[in-house]
Amino acid sequence: MSNIYDVSESNLNLAAETLKSGGLVAFPTETVYGLGANVYLSDAVAKIFAAKERPKFDPLISHIADIDFLPEYALTDERIMALGKKFWPGPLTIVMRRKDNNPAIDLACSGLENIAVRMPAHPVALELIRKSGIPIVAPSANRFKSISPTTAHHVRDSLGDKVDMILDGGQCSVGVESTIIDLTGKQAVMLRAGGTTLEALEDFLNEKVLISHGNPNLPSAPGQLLKHYAPGKPLRINATERKDGEFYIGFGKISDSDINLSPNADLEEAASRLFAYLRFADRQENYSGICMSPIPETGLGLAINDRIRRAAYKE
Ligand code: TXA
Ligand code: MG
């Protein structure tokens, strides 16, 4: 029997019970599918690392459904609350200080003094968090370093039976992970480009947001690893034409591409299709490589370029 479940009241209840009792539930968010566990049960959190084959130094994002809960859970300030009120629910993760009286979440935070929190903009995710009554920690529901999942079947392909339930909420609308902003210091720092644009954050904060490129060997975000989100076939980016044997993923007005992320050069559309198209290209048996058109470095283009540069990185 498949572990993919339709979204229904009874399946949501079952998923909430599964989480509460220490199981793993994959669920849709607006960005990508998450592999969820109860933040307070370290055994359950450890199962996430095992299922993803992810190194333990990696801290996880806590997903919440109500901003009023945030001050109970972490150390907040005016800037954090203002940002949450403006951008949540939505594809923005805020890194803030932990409260020191909460050792139960040590594993989820990898022992760091900071915690990453977001409120996803997906009715299934929000309902699941509410029904469970706990913050749900969830990385993307794929094996470490591979392509992030934007459908329930991607999760199934990547993790198989290592997850107790996969809630099928259809295709993710944003398609790239959340933007991560670190607000623990005086100056805001973007740790990962994602579904919320740098322009929107700077506009609202009325300050320059620094961009962290991190230390790729000791990343504070795994997205900072040089090789990440990678298909099996070699990927060549900024390609204006195909070479022999390449499957061509176009963007904008390209006549000879095999598929096109957005013929009208719409970056939101391109982001929402990115991971599914990379998977599709990777499955094409008659091609030995993949190439992709240049993508502009504005708006969601920052997140797209970040992902494909890492996917194209040669070790
Ligand atoms: O859109 C998303 O953010 C998706 C969905 C499922 O919500 N989740 C996601 O999780 O992308 P993951 O684990 O693949 O990436 C989370 C990133 C990691 O790069 C991790 O290092 C960073 O968040 N992170 C978590 N806690 C952190 C902390 N305390 N300080 C700095 N970075 C942190
Ligand atoms: Mg990930």
Side-chain angles (χ1 to χ4, degrees), residues 32 52 54 139-142 145-146 148-149 177 192 222-223 228-229:
V32 300
K52 280 185 69 82
R54 180 188 232 204
S140 48
N142 55 294
K145 288 194 178 184
S146 66
S148 295
E177 293 86 344
R192 175 174 78 184
H228 200 71
Y229 312 103

Side-chain angles (χ1 to χ4, degrees), residues 242 245-249 258-259 277 280-281 284 287 289-291:
R242 96 173 70 223
E246 283 180 335
F247 186 86
Y248 192 3
I249 304 179
D258 294 293
I259 41 177
Y277 280 21
F280 181 77
Q284 303 306 309
Y287 297 84
I290 306 167
C291 64

Side-chain angles (χ1 to χ4, degrees), residues 78-91:
E78 263 178 45
R79 185 172 57 165
I80 290 170
M81 294 306 282
L83 213 65
K85 281 187 184 131
K86 166 76 181 172
F87 290 97
W88 286 351

